[in-house]
Amino acid sequence: MAETSTAPTSQRFPPQIPYIIGNEACERFSFYGMRNILTVFFIDYLLRTQVPETGLREAQAKSLFHLFMAGVYFFPLIGGYLADRFFGKFQTIFVLSLVYCGGHACLALFEDNAAGFYTGLTLIAIGSGGIKPCVSAMVGDQFTEKNRHLVKKVYAIFYWTINFGSFFASLFVPLLMTKFGPAVAFGVPGILMFLATVIFWAGRKHYVMVPPTGPNPHSFLKVVFSALKGDAPKGAHWLDKAKAAHPPEAVEGVKAVFRVAGLMLPFVPFFWMLFDQKASTWVVQARAMDPHVGSVVFQPSQMQFINPALVMVLIPFLTVIIYPAFQRLGWELTPLRRMPMGLVFGAVSFVIAGVFQVVMEGGTTLNIAWQLLPYIVLTLGEILMSTTGLEFAYTQAPREMKGTVQSVWLVTNTLANVAVAIAAALNVFTGSAQFFFYAALASAAAVGMALVARRYVVRDYYQTDAQAPMDGRNPSVAPKPA
């Protein structure tokens, strides 16, 4: 049953938020600076002598890139679990940030050594992936009932900050690789990751620290196993069979995980299949385009700056103008409406890029500026899907399951990148066919998600006050219509 708070509302962000935002800006510069040059680095440096044929080398580069990204989004499962159960979010983020820094050091030191370079990528996958669910969940932990109305705004700022770091990384790191080589190009993001770690550590005395639950006799898996073995009255939810061995709130937490997973896992991966290919397939396409735009020569990897630049403009535009306008018209763009729309926009962006590829296969060399159009459409899809999903995954979980549900959201990216990595390694689709194939998958997923969303019952969970994590009181649960 929901608790009703009578505390006055606050219009100010908690003072610890700037530390988390500053950390995120530097960390995202480090990650995207490294990530956005990976495909070109594989093609032009690491794989050049191992795979002489250009087409096969491009396919292998794409496969390696998406395999790395799959790791980045798999480790949230482990990081979220360790933070929730044993170490807490702060300690998990800090320790894995040091691992993350070690990975960046390996990339800079072993640019011409495959074993050393892959070791660095593995450490970055562990570090970056491990902290992902913790940082985004820790943002929400700083808010209570009296300022819960600010959560939507802070997540918009949080996502804007991600793109602030990504913008400058995408614009400048490819130039560093062109002018100074891979060691410098990978070294600069490493320095920013070290700075991110220092900023996060500096705010340690200000954070609301939600304590870990410790070994939990009522954990997700234990509740599920009890439900599989137990008995329940006919017509009851299958998880209710676990109530004989576990408290109702534990069973409700597991139900929340399954509700979110049932909405996201079957459909969201199809968006990430499209989105993450802007750093692989779209970069390969850009390599075949005329890079001259007026007096400026753009590097293929550099075109990715368009995405974060657009996000920084479009998030305020959608939040301040478009969403309220739809609300005034009587058709609110709820999260369950935005996410399927994001899939549609993603599909359209790939159709546009596919048409460009058809034209280029016909012998016409397109200017690289043409990529602006699909980037605009894909970015609209990203905002509708990703910003919304980040907030939605947090609010739909009880306190004990927030890290786990955040990990469910992030692991959708793992599934997507594994699929793309396999397809690229097998070289199943080439040329324009690959664009239309992924567009068709995303379109079908949009229809499926819209149908499932119509039956989803939204339940928002927030802490009742700043002491709730410390004194053990239950979070507030606010059911809302879909």
Side-chain angles (χ1 to χ4, degrees), residues 255-312:
K255 287 182 181 179
V257 174
F258 274 101
R259 282 197 300 269
V260 175
L263 176 69
M264 293 184 171
L265 288 180
F267 309 113
V268 176
F270 292 99
F271 177 80
W272 296 125
M273 285 183 189
L274 309 181
F275 184 77
D276 281 338
Q277 287 192 71
K278 69 183 176 61
S280 60
T281 304
W282 286 20
V283 169
V284 171
Q285 184 184 66
R287 286 166 61 86
M289 291 178 156
D290 176 8
H292 299 85
V293 181
S295 60
V296 180
V297 179
F298 282 96
Q299 302 299 315
S301 297
Q302 203 176 14
M303 294 303 293
Q304 294 172 79
F305 86 91
I306 297 171
N307 171 251
L310 287 170
V311 167
M312 290 188 288

Side-chain angles (χ1 to χ4, degrees), residues 213-417:
T213 61
N216 186 4
H218 309 298
S219 67
F220 176 84
L221 291 177
K222 289 178 180 176
V223 171
V224 171
F225 289 147
S226 295
L228 293 174
K229 294 186 296 183
D231 296 314
K234 187 176 180 180
H237 192 286
W238 70 275
L239 282 168
D240 289 335
K241 293 184 288 185
K243 288 182 178 178
H246 304 281
E249 57 268 23
V251 177
E252 175 57 33
V254 175
K255 287 182 181 179
V257 174
F258 274 101
R259 282 197 300 269
V260 175
L263 176 69
M264 293 184 171
L265 288 180
F267 309 113
V268 176
F270 292 99
F271 177 80
W272 296 125
M273 285 183 189
L274 309 181
F275 184 77
D276 281 338
Q277 287 192 71
K278 69 183 176 61
S280 60
T281 304
W282 286 20
V283 169
V284 171
Q285 184 184 66
R287 286 166 61 86
M289 291 178 156
D290 176 8
H292 299 85
V293 181
S295 60
V296 180
V297 179
F298 282 96
Q299 302 299 315
S301 297
Q302 203 176 14
M303 294 303 293
Q304 294 172 79
F305 86 91
I306 297 171
N307 171 251
L310 287 170
V311 167
M312 290 188 288
V313 173
L314 291 175
I315 280 184
F317 176 71
L318 291 173
T319 303
V320 176
I321 298 176
I322 299 300
Y323 295 161
F326 273 94
Q327 192 169 12
R328 287 192 297 270
L329 292 172
W331 196 75
E332 184 179 357
L333 285 175
T334 64
L336 295 178
R337 289 169 176 164
R338 290 182 217 164
M339 289 189 282
M341 289 175 64
L343 277 161
V344 172
F345 276 93
V348 172
S349 74
F350 259 62
V351 169
I352 296 170
V355 171
F356 291 167
Q357 194 67 29
V358 170
V359 172
M360 293 167 65
E361 289 170 354
T364 302
T365 301
L366 293 178
N367 190 276
I368 201 169
W370 280 102
Q371 282 201 326
L372 178 63
L373 180 57
Y375 265 109
I376 292 173
V377 179
L378 183 64
T379 302
L380 284 169
E382 177 195 4
I383 296 170
L384 291 167
M385 173 62 79
S386 191
T387 334
T388 303
L390 188 66
E391 173 199 340
F392 190 75
Y394 179 83
T395 62
Q396 294 304 293
R399 179 175 75 87
E400 295 81 2
M401 292 290 173
K402 287 194 183 295
T404 302
V405 173
Q406 288 281 305
S407 296
V408 169
W409 163 250
L410 291 166
V411 84
T412 59
N413 214 311
T414 294
L415 299 176
N417 279 283

Side-chain angles (χ1 to χ4, degrees), residues 81 90 110 184 189 214 223 307 323 415 447 466 473:
Y81 176 77
F90 174 82
F110 299 110
V184 172
V223 171
N307 171 251
Y323 295 161
L415 299 176
V447 174
R473 281 177 282 174

